[in-house]
Amino acid sequence: MDRFIEITDFHAPELDVYARLTEAQLLNRFEPKKGMFIAESPKVILRALAAGCRPVSLLAERHHCNAEAMEAILACGEVPVYTASLEVLTQLTGFQLTRGMLCAMYRPPMRQPEELLKNARRVAVLEDVMNPTNLGAIFRSAAALGMEAVLLTGGCTDPLYRRCARVSMGTVFQVPWAYLPEDWLGLLRDMGFRTAAMALRRDSRPVDDPELKQAERLAVVLGTEGDGLRQSTIDGCDYTVLIPMANGVDSLNVAAASAVAFWELSRK
């Protein structure tokens, strides 16, 4: 294929997107239509393509172009594919490669929360979850365990952040998501949702409380690792919910807690 281009100049501007631009620069808040993200690994790239994301270029380890990688390369159409040995690639500033392939893609249009809530029955709400590993794991659980959308406050990390998308196994492209307005509790209430705050309080209900399952529309609200949900958020929710623990353990990592809550609260 003549679109395979061997890397010889580390300072080539075509490689800036992979090696020299920060996540904030890729996001390009001043010109959102030009914003990009980096998808890592063939599986994530293929799921991003299936969701309608447009590729710009690929960067691949020369000897890692196996059948799965070639499927992703062919699916990307005629975009250039930059290649080099692993020894050469690791010389790029800040470059770390998982499963031999990266793809620069344009960001998809932002969704509106009202659009996602309109016909949903069970959704996840994440308040200020900054850790990309946790966020990616939560998306993976949401996809696997029945959440129809993920809604994020402005303090959350970007779901298309490279590590987040990789940890999610590309499910950030399968589960619809959107950022919430400041008065998001009011929005959920106006759209007919009951809200269940995952928090440790004396009046917290166990996650298997029958009343929670009977709610026609329910939003499961989770907070950042360590600090958890804001007190004002807990006070504003309809329910406060906990996962019963054994052996003196008081809480789970937010990603693990999300899996338990999604499993229990998505079942009819």
Side-chain angles (χ1 to χ4, degrees):
M1 293 184 182
D2 59 6
R3 61 195 178 99
F4 280 73
I5 303 167
E6 187 77 7
I7 296 173
T8 58
D9 181 3
F10 296 135
H11 301 289
E14 293 86 355
L15 299 184
D16 286 348
V17 66
Y18 298 106
R20 288 175 284 275
L21 296 185
T22 66
E23 293 288 338
Q25 289 171 322
L26 286 172
L27 183 58
N28 200 343
R29 295 183 186 276
F30 297 105
E31 295 185 81
K33 291 183 179 180
K34 295 182 180 179
M36 289 191 286
F37 67 94
I38 304 298
E40 183 173 1
S41 85
K43 183 183 292 294
V44 173
I45 293 166
L46 288 168
R47 286 182 169 169
L49 291 169
C53 297
R54 294 186 296 127
V56 176
S57 65
L58 290 137
L59 178 61
E61 182 187 344
R62 184 193 304 134
H63 297 298
H64 203 92
C65 291
N66 55 23
E68 186 182 33
M70 286 306 300
E71 181 184 0
I73 289 170
L74 292 171
C76 284
E78 296 303 313
V79 303
V81 182
Y82 303 108
T83 64
S85 67
L86 181 60
E87 291 74 21
V88 172
L89 289 175
T90 53
Q91 295 178 50
L92 289 170
T93 302
F95 191 88
Q96 293 179 333
L97 194 61
T98 298
R99 297 186 64 79
M101 178 175 287
L102 300 176
C103 183
M105 293 181 151
Y106 287 114
R107 297 180 67 90
M110 292 291 292
R111 309 280 294 272
Q112 295 302 312
E114 293 85 353
E115 172 192 355
L116 306 188
L117 292 168
K118 184 177 180 181
N119 297 312
R121 179 178 173 271
R122 292 290 186 269
V123 301
V125 173
L126 308 182
E127 182 180 74
D128 301 344
V129 177
M130 285 296 298
N131 185 294
T133 300
N134 283 336
L135 192 64
I138 292 170
F139 264 93
R140 191 172 180 182
S141 293
L145 301 172
M147 292 293 108
E148 296 160 83
V150 174
L151 290 308
L152 307 104
T153 66
C156 288
T157 197
D158 179 11
L160 300 188
Y161 179 75
R162 177 177 150 191
R163 181 172 179 81
C164 180
R166 184 179 76 230
V167 171
S168 82
M169 296 297 290
T171 55
V172 292
F173 305 108
Q174 295 179 312
V175 181
W177 57 271
Y179 283 104
L180 289 161
E182 187 172 342
D183 183 23
W184 55 269
L185 279 169
L187 172 64
L188 288 166
R189 184 167 49 250
D190 291 345
M191 297 199 72
F193 277 84
R194 306 286 280 176
T195 47
M198 301 299 298
L200 298 172
R201 291 208 324 190
R202 291 183 179 179
D203 60 347
S204 293
R205 300 167 181 245
V207 71
D208 60 352
D209 188 310
E211 186 175 339
L212 297 172
K213 293 184 180 181
Q214 292 167 7
E216 183 64 28
R217 311 183 87 187
L218 186 69
V220 183
V221 185
L222 297 125
T224 187
E225 185 70 22
D227 293 336
L229 293 169
R230 299 173 189 168
Q231 188 60 50
S232 59
T233 297
I234 297 172
D235 294 341
C237 285
D238 298 299
Y239 309 106
T240 307
V241 180
L242 58 75
I243 299 168
M245 302 282 172
N247 297 316
V249 177
D250 62 355
S251 64
L252 295 174
N253 166 277
V254 65
S258 75
V260 175
F262 296 165
W263 163 252
E264 188 64 51
L265 297 174
S266 66
R267 294 191 297 163
K268 295 182 180 179

